[in-house]
Amino acid sequence: MLRRLPRPYDPNLLAGRNPADDAAVYRLVDDLAIIQTVDFFAPVVDDAYDYGRIAAANSLSDVYAMGGHPVTAMNIVAFPMDSLDLDYLSEILRGGADAAAEAGVTVVGGHTVDDEEPKYGMAVTGTVRPDAFVRADGARPGDRLILTKPIGTGVISTALKAQAASGAHVANAVRWMTTLNRAASVAMLAARTHASSDVTGFGLLGHLHPMLHASGVAAAIHLSALPLLPGALWYAKKGLVPGGTRHNYEAVTEFLDWSVDWGDQWLELLSDPQTSGGLLLSIAPESVHAFRQAATRKMLAVEIGEVTEGVPGRIRILP
Ligand code: CO
Ligand code: CO
């Protein structure tokens, strides 16, 4: 649909035209660009405060994915003013404010509309040097693919909605979803990462494929290396899969070469829509050590596969 819109031509718009870009980067002066992104969605967990933190962490993530430094944010709120207690809204906003404070971001305003279902998120503005941000299109053959959070928030929140999720599984998923991608972004820059994107609504394959396609390369990923949230495989096997998963895998299935058959739930997990997912990074093999050195306890640094030569965008699925 975006293709039908007039394409802005402005030499200062450095990123944001390509569908693989996580955020827009706009050069203001020679050595300074702003980076802008917006995201909001309906509740994924029961607790209003956690929901606020998750939505804010998710909104900040696109800035971190490009190596930017978030500075200010504005709240975007939809709320059923007549049917839901306003205390619920104030808890959402408190969660968002706390996540922003952790990121060193100032919340400078916002806008609310009356709506049947609550929705919350932020429009975030950051800064980045015009020559120092990381795009999604720089992956090179031989690079290692690194993931910084486990997969499975979609199936866990679907299990939660079906009242089939264990409290421990939900608490663990919430811990990951509220974790900022800041540490991962710092490590990414330290390792001179070739390509980056955060794993969100399109699922792992839905973010990996455009990265590979835009970079003109293929990849192989190893299912046994995939970090999964505890419970994710179990809920997927029970069919507790979000509605969006099907669209996600239908969009990528023609680009996949399977050399393993571990059951449909693996395709579903690879396509599981993530909320506030980790960074997916393409890093030169000689820089992986630097990345691990810079990694903190607040992130994973799991190698899930490698970039190869081949038909752009193709993905081999190995055991
Ligand atoms: Co993104
Ligand atoms: Co986004």
Side-chain angles (χ1 to χ4, degrees), residues 71-75 93 96-101 105-110 120 122:
V71 178
T72 59
M74 304 192 93
N75 289 317
L93 296 176
D98 280 359
V105 164
T106 304
V107 180
V108 294
Y120 175 63
M122 284 174 164

Side-chain angles (χ1 to χ4, degrees), residues 173-184:
V174 167
R175 185 171 63 82
W176 278 108
M177 287 189 284
T178 54
T179 298
L180 300 178
N181 278 327
R182 177 173 51 184

Side-chain angles (χ1 to χ4, degrees), residues 6-167:
R7 293 199 149 205
Y9 183 72
D10 182 333
N12 289 315
L13 182 60
L14 307 179
R17 281 190 203 92
N18 189 321
D21 293 333
D22 284 293
V25 177
Y26 192 91
R27 180 171 48 214
L28 297 174
V29 290
D30 280 352
D31 59 352
L32 180 68
I34 51 167
I35 179 163
Q36 292 178 289
T37 180
V38 58
D39 222 328
F40 65 116
F41 48 76
V44 290
V45 292
D46 296 329
D47 185 86
Y49 176 74
D50 285 341
Y51 166 47
R53 287 168 70 208
I54 291 166
N58 181 79
S59 297
L60 292 161
S61 178
D62 281 324
V63 175
Y64 290 132
M66 297 190 87
H69 174 72
V71 178
T72 59
M74 304 192 93
N75 289 317
I76 298 162
V77 181
F79 199 76
M81 300 295 174
D82 296 328
S83 59
L84 257 184
D85 194 331
L86 279 178
D87 287 347
Y88 182 82
L89 176 55
S90 67
E91 279 298 282
I92 295 172
L93 296 176
R94 188 170 71 86
D98 280 359
E102 187 190 342
V105 164
T106 304
V107 180
V108 294
H111 186 74
T112 304
V113 294
D114 204 344
D115 195 9
E116 280 170 29
E117 188 183 25
K119 292 167 197 81
Y120 175 63
M122 284 174 164
V124 181
T125 301
T127 57
V128 72
R129 285 224 329 267
D131 58 352
F133 64 91
V134 185
R135 295 175 187 271
D137 64 358
R140 301 175 200 172
D143 282 359
R144 302 296 189 251
L145 292 168
I146 306 256
L147 191 61
T148 70
K149 287 187 189 181
I151 295 288
T153 65
V155 288
I156 303 264
S157 53
T158 303
L160 176 65
K161 279 178 192 144
Q163 299 185 321
S166 99

